[in-house]
Amino acid sequence: LHRGYGTRYTLMFDTTAKGDPGEDGDGCEIRVYDAVAEGWDTVEGMSGGQEVLIELAASLSIGALACHGAGIRRPTLARDEADAHLRPEHARAYARILMLGAELMEADVVLVVSHRDEVLAHADAVIHVADGTARLMSVDAWRGLTAAG
């Protein structure tokens, strides 16, 4: 999160186990420290764009730990239009966090469904789907296709 979005927010995973006083079962709450406000909040207290970025960073962190613990090497990451409602600066941060997460997990493949130039700028290739057909194309060819109309 710090490398992809800046140091304003820090995440803490507050876990509980069945048998803890007052707990009915296992659980995990993500808490967010806001260095500007100098306080802790939940993900639900963030703006929509901040929430998407924080949830992405959290899911990639948990995924990296799970893969490491299970001995899974070189996983495939997939995201489906999670960036659809982000402002351009948040879309750029989304792409940075996703690529940093892929690097951390040593992912072989990152599949992203997106219509955002800020995200597609990081792609090696684009699969363009239209009228029931799919075409593999370079990012430059895709840009030319979308610019034409």
Side-chain angles (χ1 to χ4, degrees), residues 6 8 16 18 37 42 53 61 79 85 120:
R8 176 176 178 175
T16 56
K18 189 173 186 175
T42 62
L53 298 176
S61 298
R79 293 289 183 270
H85 301 289
L120 294 171

Side-chain angles (χ1 to χ4, degrees), residues 66-80:
C67 286
H68 179 74
I72 297 171
R73 296 184 34 79
R74 321 253 349 128
T76 297
L77 295 178
R79 293 289 183 270
D80 184 9

Side-chain angles (χ1 to χ4, degrees), residues 16-21 23-27:
T16 56
K18 189 173 186 175
D20 285 350
E23 294 299 324
D24 295 329
D26 294 340

Side-chain angles (χ1 to χ4, degrees), residues 3-4 18 24-26 33 45-46 49 52 56 62 66 73 81 83 92 105 115 121 123 135 140 147:
R3 285 180 53 203
K18 189 173 186 175
D24 295 329
D26 294 340
Y33 181 76
M46 308 282 99
V52 168
L56 174 64
I62 292 168
R73 296 184 34 79
E81 292 194 76
D83 62 343
R92 285 187 291 278
M105 296 173 80
H115 300 275
R135 280 190 332 191
D140 289 337

Side-chain angles (χ1 to χ4, degrees), residues 47-112:
S47 74
Q50 292 165 334
E51 186 176 338
V52 168
L53 298 176
I54 289 167
E55 288 177 349
L56 174 64
S59 69
L60 290 170
S61 298
I62 292 168
L65 288 171
C67 286
H68 179 74
I72 297 171
R73 296 184 34 79
R74 321 253 349 128
T76 297
L77 295 178
R79 293 289 183 270
D80 184 9
E81 292 194 76
D83 62 343
H85 301 289
L86 297 178
R87 295 189 317 250
E89 65 272 13
H90 283 145
R92 285 187 291 278
Y94 176 89
R96 285 192 304 272
I97 293 168
L98 184 59
M99 298 314 296
L100 289 166
E103 180 184 316
L104 174 69
M105 296 173 80
E106 298 180 337
D108 270 344
V109 177
V110 179
L111 300 171
V112 178

Side-chain angles (χ1 to χ4, degrees), residues 3-19:
R3 285 180 53 203
Y5 187 50
T7 58
R8 176 176 178 175
Y9 299 109
T10 299
L11 303 183
M12 178 177 69
F13 297 89
D14 191 10
T15 59
T16 56
K18 189 173 186 175

